[in-house]
Amino acid sequence: MLSYRHAFHSGNHADILKHYCLMTVLEYFKLKDKPFCYVDTHAGAGLYSLISKEAQKVGEYREGIGRLLAATNLDNSLKQFRNAVVSCLPDDTNLYCGSPWLAQALAREQDRLRLFELHPADAELLRNNMRNIKQPNRAQVFCDDGFKGLLSMLPPPSRRAVVLIDPPYELKQDYQQVTDTLKTALKKFASGCYLIWYPCLSRGESLKLPQNLQKLAPDNFVQAELYVHAPRPDGFGMHGSGMFIINPPYTLPGILEKVLPAMTRLLAQDDSAHFVLNSVIA
Ligand code: SAM
């Protein structure tokens, strides 16, 4: 049973960190003419209305994209991201982009997008949204399990791939499935760039996930975590989120070193806000 719907959370602080890292990796991949394949294992609907009843119910976007758009003294390091978001969205809308929408806007004619979304309603929305992109035949939407789907795509014909793994983690087994899938994915295609999003919670599995990911790629990774407020006393809720990137662009640690202080200032909800950046580059 799938109960998670990203429409409630789109544009929150976690999307800002995740989509920033995605943009940076895709821009790096575009430095070479050779095509790449973008695989999104948990793609969501692609576009989200910020005035929908879902978005308004929790209002998480106000502490994320709301702050980015409203910032008057935006740090230079975040301006490219704000421009990328604003320019990929249809004019005069109250929309925010999901990962597949941002990726299609940044990807080129020669690149391919393979998008997996298991929730039938979100997969249908994604399919409809992708019909409106430039050269829609670049993108294929599968209403299917993204963990299995990823493995079926590897290695990609072009031997260049950017993979986003962004499960809802509403099921405890998502944590194990991320590491199991990556273990096999790395055997099938060792040189892919894999971006894994995870929530920072007070729970054991979420604390162990980055440690387990590091064991899979101890010699070539970047880990960035952004904590926006202190953990709640009852231990519930997400006080931050992280991105673990395997085979990252060698430039990524330097870029994140500059942007994370500004992103933390922008998204901080209390004085305990901070970031963590670890990397080993081969
Ligand atoms: N990546 C999206 C973005 O950044 O805009 C957000 C994705 S949201 C966090 C997670 C999505 O995964 C939900 O839409 C959910 O329906 C979907 N999902 C859950 N389990 C899945 C699975 N096994 N395979 C594919 N999609 C799944």
Side-chain angles (χ1 to χ4, degrees):
M1 234 279 282
L2 290 167
S3 56
Y4 181 93
R5 305 299 300 277
H6 199 60
F8 288 94
H9 311 285
S10 174
N12 67 4
H13 62 85
D15 267 6
I16 303 301
L17 175 67
K18 173 185 25 173
H19 295 161
Y20 181 89
C21 291
L22 179 61
M23 174 198 76
T24 307
V25 168
L26 291 173
E27 289 299 353
Y28 179 83
F29 266 67
K30 283 161 46 178
L31 296 175
K32 280 192 189 158
D33 288 339
K34 199 174 169 199
F36 62 81
C37 180
Y38 170 71
V39 184
D40 202 323
T41 60
H42 296 72
L47 280 172
Y48 301 91
S49 164
L50 299 178
I51 52 171
S52 67
K53 64 176 187 324
E54 290 88 350
Q56 291 297 323
K57 183 167 179 195
V58 268
E60 286 181 22
Y61 73 91
R62 294 192 192 102
E63 311 301 334
I65 187 62
R67 291 189 183 198
L68 185 74
L69 294 178
T72 44
N73 262 331
L74 193 65
D75 195 273
N76 278 340
S77 60
L78 281 165
K79 281 187 181 154
Q80 184 197 2
F81 178 60
R82 182 161 74 180
N83 290 344
V85 168
V86 170
S87 61
C88 83
L89 293 170
D91 288 339
D92 297 327
T93 57
N94 290 295
L95 296 173
Y96 181 64
C97 51
S99 50
W101 190 266
L102 181 64
Q104 66 77 24
L106 296 171
R108 305 155 302 179
E109 196 179 331
Q110 66 264 41
D111 303 322
R112 294 291 171 263
L113 299 108
R114 302 293 178 252
L115 314 170
F116 293 88
E117 170 51 50
L118 196 54
H119 197 296
D122 278 350
E124 191 52 27
L125 288 169
L126 181 60
R127 224 171 245 134
N128 285 335
N129 284 327
M130 287 293 149
R131 284 194 186 108
N132 297 322
I133 68 172
K134 263 192 222 151
Q135 299 142 338
N137 58 350
R138 290 180 300 152
Q140 275 180 11
V141 176
F142 305 90
C143 183
D144 215 340
D145 174 37
F147 292 116
K148 284 200 195 109
L150 168 63
L151 298 179
S152 73
M153 293 286 152
L154 300 178
S158 64
R159 303 273 157 176
R160 298 185 77 210
V162 176
V163 177
L164 176 65
I165 303 181
D166 180 21
Y169 299 96
E170 60 179 350
L171 306 171
K172 228 176 166 183
Q173 59 259 38
D174 273 350
Y175 292 94
Q176 190 59 44
Q177 232 175 337
V178 167
T179 42
D180 289 350
T181 303
L182 272 164
K183 214 179 276 173
T184 312
L186 285 164
K187 276 192 197 132
K188 293 187 87 161
F189 186 50
S191 64
C193 177
Y194 299 90
L195 297 94
I196 302 100
W197 179 86
Y198 58 93
C200 296
L201 313 168
S202 306
R203 268 214 310 267
E205 307 86 49
S206 108
L207 299 169
K208 274 193 217 122
L209 181 64
Q211 296 164 16
N212 291 337
L213 292 174
Q214 203 171 325
K215 285 184 199 145
L216 293 179
D219 303 324
N220 207 11
F221 74 89
V222 172
Q223 177 193 13
E225 293 180 345
L226 177 49
Y227 295 84
V228 294
H229 58 71
R232 307 265 183 240
D234 60 8
F236 283 108
M238 178 173 84
H239 50 286
S241 70
M243 287 294 285
F244 195 95
I245 299 133
I246 297 177
N247 300 326
Y250 77 96
T251 49
L252 190 61
I255 293 173
L256 289 175
E257 212 170 278
K258 286 207 181 96
V259 81
L260 283 172
M263 204 182 277
T264 307
R265 280 194 300 277
L266 180 77
L267 301 175
Q269 296 179 24
D270 69 23
D271 290 347
S272 73
H274 65 283
F275 68 89
V276 173
L277 180 61
N278 289 320
S279 61
V280 177
I281 296 292

